[in-house]
Coordinates of all heavy atoms in Angstrom, one line a residue:
E1 N 0.8 -1.2 0.0 CA 0.0 0.0 0.0 C 0.8 1.3 0.0 O 0.3 2.4 -0.1 CB -1.0 0.0 1.2 CG -0.3 -0.2 2.5 CD -0.5 -1.7 3.0 OE1 -0.2 -2.6 2.1 OE2 -0.8 -1.9 4.2
D2 N 2.2 1.2 0.1 CA 3.0 2.3 0.0 C 3.3 2.6 -1.5 O 4.0 3.6 -1.8 CB 4.4 2.1 0.7 CG 4.2 2.0 2.2 OD1 3.4 2.8 2.8 OD2 4.8 1.1 2.8
T3 N 2.9 1.7 -2.4 CA 3.1 1.9 -3.8 C 2.5 3.2 -4.3 O 1.3 3.5 -4.1 CB 2.6 0.8 -4.6 OG1 3.3 -0.4 -4.3 CG2 2.7 1.0 -6.1
A4 N 3.3 4.1 -4.9 CA 2.8 5.4 -5.3 C 3.9 6.2 -6.0 O 5.1 5.7 -6.0 CB 2.3 6.2 -4.1
V5 N 3.6 7.3 -6.6 CA 4.6 8.3 -7.0 C 4.8 9.2 -5.9 O 3.8 9.7 -5.3 CB 4.1 9.1 -8.3 CG1 5.2 10.1 -8.6 CG2 3.8 8.1 -9.4
Y6 N 6.1 9.3 -5.5 CA 6.4 10.2 -4.3 C 6.9 11.5 -4.8 O 7.8 11.6 -5.7 CB 7.5 9.5 -3.5 CG 6.9 8.4 -2.6 CD1 6.4 7.2 -3.2 CD2 6.7 8.5 -1.2 CE1 5.8 6.2 -2.4 CE2 6.2 7.6 -0.5 CZ 5.7 6.4 -1.0 OH 5.1 5.4 -0.3
Y7 N 6.4 12.6 -4.2 CA 6.8 13.9 -4.6 C 7.4 14.7 -3.5 O 7.0 14.6 -2.4 CB 5.5 14.7 -5.1 CG 4.8 14.2 -6.3 CD1 3.8 13.2 -6.2 CD2 5.2 14.6 -7.5 CE1 3.2 12.7 -7.3 CE2 4.6 14.1 -8.7 CZ 3.5 13.2 -8.5 OH 2.9 12.7 -9.7
C8 N 8.5 15.4 -3.8 CA 9.1 16.3 -2.9 C 8.4 17.7 -3.0 O 8.0 18.1 -4.1 CB 10.6 16.5 -3.4 SG 11.5 17.7 -2.5
A9 N 8.1 18.3 -1.9 CA 7.4 19.6 -1.9 C 8.2 20.6 -1.1 O 8.8 20.3 -0.1 CB 6.1 19.4 -1.2
G10 N 8.2 21.9 -1.6 CA 8.9 23.0 -1.0 C 8.0 24.1 -0.6 O 7.1 24.5 -1.4
G11 N 8.1 24.5 0.7 CA 7.3 25.6 1.2 C 7.8 26.9 0.8 O 8.9 27.1 0.3
G12 N 7.0 27.9 1.1 CA 7.3 29.3 0.7 C 7.9 30.1 1.9 O 8.3 31.3 1.8
S13 N 8.1 29.4 3.0 CA 8.6 30.1 4.2 C 9.2 29.0 5.2 O 9.2 27.8 4.8 CB 7.6 30.9 4.9 OG 6.6 30.1 5.5
S14 N 9.6 29.4 6.4 CA 10.0 28.5 7.4 C 8.9 28.1 8.3 O 9.1 27.3 9.2 CB 11.1 29.1 8.2 OG 10.7 30.3 8.9
L15 N 7.7 28.6 8.0 CA 6.5 28.3 8.9 C 6.3 26.8 9.0 O 6.1 26.1 8.0 CB 5.3 29.0 8.3 CG 4.0 28.7 9.0 CD1 4.0 29.3 10.5 CD2 2.8 29.2 8.3
F16 N 6.2 26.3 10.2 CA 6.0 24.9 10.5 C 4.7 24.7 11.2 O 4.7 24.7 12.5 CB 7.2 24.3 11.2 CG 7.2 22.8 11.3 CD1 7.5 22.0 10.2 CD2 6.9 22.1 12.5 CE1 7.5 20.6 10.2 CE2 6.9 20.7 12.5 CZ 7.2 20.0 11.4
S17 N 3.7 24.6 10.5 CA 2.3 24.5 11.1 C 1.7 23.2 10.5 O 1.4 23.2 9.3 CB 1.5 25.7 10.7 OG 0.1 25.5 11.0
T18 N 1.6 22.2 11.3 CA 1.1 20.9 10.7 C -0.2 20.9 10.1 O -0.4 20.2 9.1 CB 1.2 19.8 11.8 OG1 0.5 20.2 13.0 CG2 2.7 19.5 12.2
P19 N -1.2 21.7 10.6 CA -2.5 21.7 9.8 C -2.3 22.2 8.4 O -3.0 21.8 7.4 CB -3.3 22.7 10.6 CG -2.8 22.6 12.0 CD -1.3 22.4 11.8
L20 N -1.4 23.2 8.2 CA -1.1 23.7 6.8 C -0.3 22.7 6.0 O -0.5 22.5 4.8 CB -0.4 25.1 6.9 CG -1.3 26.2 7.5 CD1 -0.4 27.5 7.6 CD2 -2.5 26.5 6.7
L21 N 0.7 22.2 6.7 CA 1.7 21.4 5.9 C 1.1 20.1 5.4 O 1.6 19.5 4.5 CB 2.9 21.0 6.8 CG 3.7 22.3 7.2 CD1 4.7 21.9 8.4 CD2 4.5 22.8 6.1
T22 N 0.0 19.6 6.0 CA -0.6 18.4 5.5 C -1.6 18.7 4.4 O -2.3 17.8 3.9 CB -1.4 17.7 6.6 OG1 -2.3 18.6 7.2 CG2 -0.4 17.3 7.7
T23 N -1.7 19.9 3.9 CA -2.6 20.3 2.8 C -1.8 20.6 1.5 O -0.9 21.4 1.5 CB -3.3 21.6 3.2 OG1 -4.0 21.4 4.4 CG2 -4.3 22.0 2.1
P24 N -2.0 19.8 0.4 CA -1.3 20.0 -0.8 C -1.2 21.5 -1.2 O -0.2 21.9 -1.8 CB -2.0 19.1 -1.8 CG -2.6 18.1 -1.0 CD -3.0 18.8 0.3
G25 N -2.3 22.2 -1.1 CA -2.3 23.6 -1.5 C -1.4 24.6 -0.8 O -1.1 25.7 -1.3
F26 N -0.8 24.2 0.3 CA 0.1 25.0 1.0 C 1.4 25.2 0.3 O 2.1 26.2 0.4 CB 0.3 24.4 2.4 CG 1.5 25.0 3.2 CD1 1.3 26.2 3.9 CD2 2.7 24.5 3.2 CE1 2.3 26.8 4.6 CE2 3.8 25.0 3.9 CZ 3.6 26.2 4.6
W27 N 1.8 24.1 -0.4 CA 3.2 24.1 -0.9 C 3.4 24.9 -2.2 O 2.5 24.9 -3.1 CB 3.6 22.6 -1.2 CG 3.5 21.8 0.1 CD1 2.4 21.2 0.6 CD2 4.5 21.7 1.1 NE1 2.7 20.7 1.9 CE2 4.0 20.9 2.2 CE3 5.9 22.1 1.1 CZ2 4.8 20.6 3.3 CZ3 6.6 21.8 2.2 CH2 6.1 21.0 3.3
N28 N 4.5 25.5 -2.3 CA 4.8 26.4 -3.5 C 5.5 25.6 -4.6 O 5.3 26.0 -5.8 CB 5.7 27.5 -3.0 CG 5.1 28.5 -2.1 OD1 4.7 28.1 -1.0 ND2 4.9 29.7 -2.5
Y29 N 6.2 24.6 -4.3 CA 7.0 24.0 -5.3 C 6.9 22.5 -5.2 O 6.9 21.9 -4.1 CB 8.5 24.4 -5.2 CG 8.7 25.9 -5.3 CD1 8.9 26.6 -4.2 CD2 8.7 26.5 -6.5 CE1 9.1 28.0 -4.2 CE2 8.8 27.9 -6.6 CZ 9.1 28.6 -5.4 OH 9.2 30.0 -5.5
W30 N 7.0 21.8 -6.4 CA 6.9 20.3 -6.4 C 7.9 19.8 -7.4 O 8.2 20.4 -8.4 CB 5.5 19.9 -7.0 CG 4.4 20.3 -6.0 CD1 3.6 21.4 -6.1 CD2 3.9 19.5 -5.0 NE1 2.7 21.4 -5.0 CE2 2.8 20.2 -4.4 CE3 4.2 18.2 -4.4 CZ2 2.1 19.7 -3.3 CZ3 3.5 17.8 -3.3 CH2 2.5 18.5 -2.8
G31 N 8.4 18.6 -7.0 CA 9.3 17.9 -8.0 C 8.4 17.1 -9.0 O 7.2 17.2 -8.9
Q32 N 9.1 16.4 -9.8 CA 8.5 15.7 -10.9 C 7.9 14.3 -10.4 O 7.1 13.7 -11.1 CB 9.4 15.5 -12.1 CG 10.4 14.3 -12.0 CD 11.5 14.5 -11.0 OE1 11.7 15.6 -10.4 NE2 12.3 13.5 -10.8
G33 N 8.4 13.9 -9.3 CA 8.0 12.6 -8.7 C 8.9 11.5 -9.1 O 9.5 11.5 -10.1
T34 N 8.9 10.5 -8.2 CA 9.6 9.2 -8.4 C 8.7 8.1 -8.0 O 8.1 8.1 -7.0 CB 11.0 9.2 -7.7 OG1 11.7 8.1 -8.0 CG2 10.8 9.3 -6.2
Q35 N 8.7 7.0 -8.9 CA 7.8 5.9 -8.6 C 8.4 4.9 -7.6 O 9.6 4.5 -7.7 CB 7.6 5.2 -10.0 CG 6.7 3.9 -9.8 CD 5.3 4.2 -9.5 OE1 4.7 5.1 -10.1 NE2 4.7 3.5 -8.5

């Protein structure tokens, strides 16, 4: 069940707020993914 494309995500600040960080819309940058 861990099978997936894994993506690296970069935030726009140093803010570490778990309710925000668990939301895809929070992140500013994404990698292309690795299977």
